[in-house]
Amino acid sequence: MGDQAGPGPGVSVRQDLRLLEAAGAHRDGAFVRQLAHEAQLPEPTARRLLRELARDGYLHELDDGAFTLRERASPRPAADGRALREHVRPLLSSLRDSLSAAAYLTLYDEGEIRVLEIVDSPHAPRVDLWVGFHEAGHATALGKSVLRELDEEARANYLSRHSLTGLTPRTITSREELLRQLDSAPAGPLSLDRGEYARGTTCAAAPVYSGDRVGAIGISFRSDRMYRTTEVRARLLDSALRVTRRLTLPGS
């Protein structure tokens, strides 16, 4: 997991919004160089993001290489409830199938880390949720991913209301050690849980955003399974960006 981290989902989506605003000002389309200039982005960055936005249905790439906004029939769903789950489930299903691991989505809501969706299968079973995730933020990759993104005040507030219970021999139960790990983790945007929540289970997670709300997308799998960390990292970060776009950008 020592790869150099690129921009996190939050940064990328802010860049997306600038590009969408620029594209929206050109009814007949505009080329990469012009959109990059108007969005104040390097041209290679703009080209990559524009193609990703076209792939995900936010823009249309014309035959001459210009980009235009796609027409939207309906606004994006609210950032909770059934509409949200239906909106992001295909992305979670794709992540599950690509890594053969159960996929999860959480959001930090009213001071708690809440699981919004789990997508698993007989070949990719979910972890046994024997302790609620809202009480185990210190012991799960999903929880640590959220805690890493909170500001100092919000993080302190959460930790003041939740005890660092030892769930397995690997669980971090020292506040100082947890904070040290959150602030110095070498995995860039990724957080890991190696048997801290459930014996024999490894989890990895990356942050997602719904506007200014933080959450996390993650996977779980048996610790004795071998994964290429570069593949897990790439798949998670790509999925995190696509989920963040789905939760934040206008329409879908």
Side-chain angles (χ1 to χ4, degrees), residues 214-231:
V214 65
I217 185 174
I219 59 168
S220 69
F221 50 90
R222 281 173 32 189
S223 297
D224 60 358
R225 292 184 59 184
M226 297 298 294
Y227 275 97
R228 292 180 55 194
T229 55
T230 52
E231 179 183 7

Side-chain angles (χ1 to χ4, degrees), residues 22-235:
H26 300 278
R27 186 178 184 87
D28 296 324
F31 294 97
V32 172
R33 178 172 296 179
Q34 182 173 6
L35 295 174
H37 174 72
E38 293 177 6
Q40 298 182 326
L41 294 173
E43 191 171 329
T45 299
R47 179 177 291 105
R48 174 177 59 82
L49 292 175
L50 288 166
R51 287 176 175 167
E52 290 176 359
L53 288 166
R55 175 197 66 184
D56 288 343
Y58 297 97
L59 293 173
H60 180 61
E61 185 173 4
L62 303 177
D63 291 340
D64 61 1
F67 289 87
T68 62
L69 286 178
R70 282 190 180 274
E71 294 296 327
R72 300 289 176 181
S74 61
R76 71 177 176 88
D80 51 24
R82 180 178 176 182
L84 180 147
R85 294 194 295 271
E86 292 179 350
H87 208 50
V88 301
R89 176 173 275 272
L91 299 179
L92 296 179
S93 297
S94 177
L95 178 62
R96 175 202 61 195
D97 295 342
S98 66
L99 293 176
S100 298
Y104 307 77
L105 173 67
T106 66
L107 271 183
Y108 191 66
D109 180 46
E110 297 182 347
E112 300 295 345
I113 300 169
R114 305 189 188 281
V115 178
L116 295 187
E117 188 64 286
I118 302 175
V119 177
D120 59 358
S121 73
H123 300 292
R126 68 184 65 188
V127 66
D128 179 16
L129 303 179
W130 69 287
V131 175
F133 272 33
H134 63 287
E135 293 292 342
H138 64 295
T140 65
L142 289 156
K144 288 191 283 186
S145 185
V146 169
L147 291 174
R148 285 180 63 175
E149 298 302 306
L150 295 180
D151 61 33
E152 185 175 347
E153 181 180 357
R155 187 191 290 177
N157 177 272
Y158 177 89
L159 293 176
S160 71
R161 295 180 289 104
H162 297 81
S163 59
L164 305 187
T165 305
L167 305 180
T168 77
R170 291 179 173 268
T171 306
I172 296 174
T173 57
S174 162
R175 176 171 174 154
E176 291 72 23
E177 184 180 351
L178 176 64
L179 291 174
R180 185 164 52 250
Q181 182 185 101
L182 293 175
D183 292 333
S184 63
L190 259 59
S191 294
L192 295 174
D193 147 29
R194 296 185 178 93
E196 297 169 47
Y197 176 79
R199 291 174 185 248
T201 298
T202 293
C203 301
V208 298
Y209 302 87
S210 177
D212 59 359
R213 300 167 68 193
V214 65
I217 185 174
I219 59 168
S220 69
F221 50 90
R222 281 173 32 189
S223 297
D224 60 358
R225 292 184 59 184
M226 297 298 294
Y227 275 97
R228 292 180 55 194
T229 55
T230 52
E231 179 183 7
V232 170
R233 182 182 186 280
R235 297 279 189 183

